[in-house]
Amino acid sequence: MEYRGYDSAGISFVNEKIEIYKNTGFVSDLIKKIPKNHEAKNGIGHTRWATHGKPTEKNAHPHLDCNEEVSVVHNGIIENYLDLKEELQKKNHKFISDTDTEVIPHLIEENNNGDIIKAINKVIKIIKGSYAITVISKNNPSEVYGVRMKSPLILGIGKNEHILASDVPAILPYANKVIYLEDGEIVRITPDEYNIFKNGEKINKEVQEIEWNIKSAEKSGYKHFTLKEIHEQPRVIRDTISGRIDEVTGKIIFNELNNLKIHDRNKIVISAMGSSLYAGMIIERLIEEQSGIYTKAVSASELISFENQINTADLVIAISQSGETADTLETVKMAREAGVPTLAITNVLGSNIEREADYVLFTRAGPEIGVAATKSFTAQIALGYLLALYFSIETKTIEPNKIKQKLKSILQVPRGMMKILGKKERIAELAKKYHKEKDFFYMGRGVNLPIALEGALKLKEISYIHAEGIASGDLKHGPLALLDRNVPVISLIPIDKFYRRNTSTIKQIKARDAPVIAITYDRDKEMEKFVDDVIRIPEIEDEDLSTLYNIVALQLFSYYIADYLKRDIDKPRNLAKSVTVE
Ligand code: BG6
């Protein structure tokens, strides 16, 4: 599972008692710790991508119960772990780690009257969130148990062995017959058999045969990690906003910001680089529009040369997927030295930016292997959308019904994204039609200007074609001079108050024979008349969130153009996943 990216690892097995080995860093280091001579017939293992609790040895999985009779590994997030931990501590359960996962073995211990399947069945009625869990128990040395909710769990059926895993590559070297477990299904495996239970009843499941080789399995059958990560976005948005919205009270939950008095802040400066900067430009508009707090997104490398732009009454929000980008980190240090509070938005626990910033919020995109940011970008926007809402609630600048409308909109996003992913064949056709062009313009207005910039960046990063993102209104003030039949223009045209103005801009472009690809709403039946090609996106009540739909279409467009040009899409030339040098 190493290809998925991780920060620590661990295993445990029953050899008379439960033995457990874990460490931060690579699996290869963990292997050195494990004694060669053991008779274990079972085992569980885990590569960790920290979400709750830093990447340390004590936070690495597996986790044990008090009597070290049960050992557990977990992929996902237990949303109500803090309440459960408190209850268990009142019953004298001692906790060692900062993780959400550690409540699981303690809950199994609490509910275990000798039948561990029954105990697991009780526990899944108590925990909330997403999980794939595997469990071993000292009393059943040749068995492993598993259960899932939202996170993937696959059963591999081998010769005299059975395997449970988060993904196929872990199984393929040993078996190609698998069963994909569904939500709420509990499985027990022994070397010779497996049983699957649902609501306490035994059930039969269809066995499937895997044709993939290991390499393609790591990409879940996608040709590139970048394409796989584009398809992961509906889940990533769900994970990133999960636990942040109390749908009953309409409350936005950012406990990490309890000490941040946003109404005392004069202005907000958002500092970032690359795609994170474009996400910052969208968050800038969302915060300013909703809470009225003056907000400015600035390239970190520019902010460094302009430090008196911030003062102690401000707040600096630093956005970085990796949490390691040198320029962005420097602005956090600069702000801290100037006594300005800093809030980091990052995707990596234990990263430098988490250590440097006063407040930290995590996107939950999981490891991003493709150098070009895709799922981390949309996760930043989704988290920024809730942050803007939280600030406007804190500053009492938003009416309750508006809050409800916005929460309803963001919860619709994963399904809307699925619809656009469903149009990939159509987008691939368009990419084929335009992949030989040498120059592109991307046009957007308002909250979609940063999307035009990000769309152009994606094409540059992975296809090496020159592309420029511009504000629709700027076209006539220069770029129009560059247009001809070999310079396609991609125009983001939601049906909003600028629709007429945007369509007249398109007519000026068409007057120069430049091809136009419009991205507009499903219900816009007019657009065909004005442009060469149309990509349709579902409409969403809060237009600001059309950004999340538009960018998925643009990511796919860039991906397929780069694929037609046979580029090394996951590792484009001259680029790095994070630039850690100034
Ligand atoms: C570049 C990456 O190196 O850094 C981009 O190739 C990324 O994808 C940019 O957007 C900023 O990185 P980060 O980790 O600070 O968001």
Side-chain angles (χ1 to χ4, degrees):
M1 305 302 270
E2 291 190 276
Y3 72 92
R4 289 167 75 105
Y6 63 105
D7 49 50
S8 48
I11 71 165
S12 72
F13 47 81
V14 180
N15 194 16
E16 280 157 33
K17 64 182 182 57
I18 289 188
E19 294 194 24
I20 191 162
Y21 302 90
K22 45 187 177 176
N23 71 273
T24 53
F26 300 112
V27 171
S28 51
D29 303 327
L30 174 67
I31 291 173
K32 296 189 194 108
K33 283 187 172 181
I34 301 165
K36 299 268 174 300
N37 56 1
H38 64 75
E39 295 309 313
K41 283 270 171 292
N42 70 356
I44 55 175
H46 189 262
T47 51
R48 181 168 188 245
W49 175 265
T51 60
H52 294 76
K54 292 192 170 57
T56 59
E57 196 160 317
K58 76 177 166 65
N59 288 337
H61 299 201
H63 290 288
L64 299 171
D65 65 324
C66 298
N67 304 327
E68 302 196 352
E69 289 189 351
V70 170
S71 177
V72 165
V73 296
H74 162 231
N75 166 231
I77 295 161
I78 306 299
E79 284 169 15
N80 57 341
Y81 83 101
L82 281 173
D83 303 342
L84 296 170
K85 192 171 181 176
E86 231 168 273
E87 278 164 40
L88 288 160
Q89 282 167 326
K90 287 193 196 112
K91 298 179 184 152
N92 295 327
H93 283 262
K94 299 274 173 294
F95 284 79
I96 295 166
S97 79
D98 316 315
T99 65
D100 53 330
T101 301
E102 198 182 357
V103 293
I104 303 168
H106 288 272
L107 287 169
I108 293 174
E109 180 183 17
E110 270 297 303
N111 292 280
N112 193 353
N113 307 323
D115 180 334
I116 194 152
I117 296 287
K118 280 214 178 85
I120 294 172
N121 213 8
K122 285 194 192 131
V123 170
I124 59 174
K125 293 194 175 58
I126 301 169
I127 57 178
K128 292 203 175 27
S130 60
Y131 51 82
I133 298 167
T134 57
V135 181
I136 57 172
S137 143
K138 196 178 88 181
N139 309 327
N140 315 77
S142 62
E143 299 192 357
V144 173
Y145 317 94
V147 61
R148 69 153 289 188
M149 181 59 74
K150 297 183 192 153
S151 301
L153 189 62
I154 305 164
L155 164 62
I157 304 161
K159 213 161 159 305
N160 304 330
E161 67 183 330
H162 290 95
I163 303 163
L164 291 173
S166 298
D167 203 348
V168 168
I171 294 172
L172 264 185
Y174 312 98
N176 67 349
K177 288 191 180 52
V178 299
I179 291 179
Y180 288 91
L181 294 156
E182 306 296 330
D183 286 354
E185 289 174 352
I186 299 176
V187 58
R188 170 183 42 215
I189 58 173
T190 71
D192 310 314
E193 65 169 12
Y194 65 86
N195 302 114
I196 302 172
F197 305 86
K198 180 91 187 214
N199 303 328
E201 302 301 318
K202 243 189 209 160
I203 58 170
N204 291 319
K205 298 267 303 180
E206 186 211 342
V207 176
Q208 297 178 39
E209 200 141 317
I210 301 281
E211 265 104 40
W212 294 331
N213 64 33
I214 298 246
K215 270 272 155 265
S216 63
E218 285 177 354
K219 300 181 185 104
S220 306
Y222 293 101
K223 195 169 170 189
H224 293 93
F225 281 111
T226 303
L227 186 62
K228 178 187 176 202
E229 287 156 4
I230 291 173
H231 282 79
E232 286 176 351
Q233 294 181 100
R235 177 185 54 73
V236 163
I237 300 296
R238 256 197 308 275
D239 285 355
T240 295
I241 65 177
S242 81
R244 295 276 182 215
I245 301 171
D246 181 328
E247 290 179 50
V248 183
T249 62
K251 209 164 160 290
I252 311 285
I253 303 156
F254 281 112
N255 297 331
E256 305 93 326
L257 306 182
N258 287 349
N259 301 332
L260 174 63
K261 299 284 166 281
I262 191 63
H263 26 68
D264 297 351
R265 302 290 99 198
N266 259 2
K267 70 174 188 290
I268 296 174
V269 175
I270 298 178
S271 168
M273 299 301 287
S275 297
S276 294
L277 175 59
Y278 297 144
M281 289 168 72
I282 292 174
I283 298 169
E284 166 202 306
R285 291 187 71 97
L286 297 174
I287 293 176
E288 199 163 294
E289 255 170 32
Q290 286 169 39
S291 67
I293 304 169
Y294 175 73
T295 306
K296 191 85 198 104
V298 188
S299 149
S301 60
E302 288 308 305
L303 185 59
I304 293 167
S305 60
F306 203 23
E307 65 186 287
N308 57 14
Q309 215 193 48
I310 52 176
N311 61 56
T312 52
D314 298 342
L315 170 70
V316 167
I317 297 181
I319 308 177
S320 173
Q321 184 283 131
S322 59
E324 304 297 345
T325 297
D327 290 339
T328 311
L329 275 175
E330 192 168 338
T331 59
V332 175
K333 290 184 193 128
M334 189 176 89
R336 209 188 48 237
E337 277 144 26
V340 183
T342 54
L343 188 170
I345 294 179
T346 185
N347 192 46
V348 181
L349 264 79
S351 58
N352 263 316
I353 209 165
E354 182 192 357
R355 270 190 290 280
E356 297 288 345
D358 302 305
Y359 304 95
V360 185
L361 299 177
F362 294 103
T363 53
R364 296 205 184 106
E368 190 169 61
I369 315 283
V371 163
T374 53
K375 59 179 182 172
S376 63
F377 176 75
T378 50
Q380 286 163 350
I381 296 172
L383 192 65
Y385 183 85
L386 290 181
L387 184 64
L389 206 44
Y390 172 81
F391 284 165
S392 51
I393 294 169
E394 290 290 302
T395 54
K396 300 189 177 43
T397 48
I398 190 167
E399 293 118 48
N401 66 343
K402 196 97 175 127
I403 301 171
K404 279 210 170 55
Q405 182 223 357
K406 286 187 173 287
L407 292 182
K408 193 160 143 267
S409 289
I410 187 107
L411 291 168
Q412 282 168 2
V413 168
R415 210 168 323 111
M417 280 182 162
M418 293 298 285
K419 287 200 186 122
I420 298 161
L421 292 169
K423 298 184 179 186
K424 62 175 175 236
E425 279 77 24
R426 162 80 184 128
I427 298 173
E429 270 166 35
L430 285 183
K432 189 168 188 180
K433 177 176 174 184
Y434 292 100
H435 78 282
K436 290 207 174 76
E437 301 299 358
K438 297 281 174 284
D439 300 284
F440 282 75
F441 276 101
Y442 287 67
M443 272 190 345
R445 192 183 287 272
V447 77
N448 273 301
L449 167 56
I451 293 297
L453 294 164
E454 173 64 6
L457 177 64
K458 287 288 101 62
L459 192 68
K460 284 183 267 195
E461 280 177 314
I462 60 176
S463 75
Y464 316 152
I465 294 175
H466 169 252
E468 202 175 326
I470 59 170
S472 309
D474 291 356
L475 182 80
K476 297 187 281 302
H477 308 281
L480 195 60
L482 296 173
L483 295 190
D484 63 29
R485 69 170 57 80
N486 296 115
V487 181
V489 177
I490 297 178
S491 185
L492 307 174
I493 317 194
I495 301 178
D496 61 10
K497 58 180 183 270
F498 296 104
Y499 184 78
R500 288 277 142 248
R501 204 182 290 214
N502 285 332
T503 42
S504 76
T505 305
I506 283 180
K507 290 181 186 137
Q508 289 158 34
I509 297 170
K510 289 309 302 165
R512 277 83 186 167
D513 288 338
V516 176
I517 304 165
I519 302 194
T520 185
Y521 290 155
D522 286 335
R523 74 180 159 91
D524 177 348
K525 300 301 175 232
E526 297 285 295
M527 190 52 68
E528 259 81 5
K529 291 195 215 114
F530 310 117
V531 300
D532 302 77
D533 294 291
V534 180
I535 299 174
R536 295 188 184 290
I537 60 167
E539 194 149 353
I540 187 157
E541 207 173 326
D542 184 340
E543 281 159 19
D544 291 341
L545 291 172
S546 69
T547 51
L548 290 174
Y549 293 168
N550 286 330
I551 193 56
V552 173
L554 297 180
Q555 290 165 350
L556 287 169
F557 184 70
S558 308
Y559 171 81
Y560 287 116
I561 285 190
D563 193 37
Y564 283 120
L565 296 170
K566 302 205 172 352
R567 304 297 192 217
D568 184 353
I569 293 171
D570 288 337
K571 297 204 173 355
R573 68 186 184 200
N574 312 339
L575 298 180
K577 186 66 198 159
S578 76
V579 179
T580 54
V581 289
E582 270 124 24

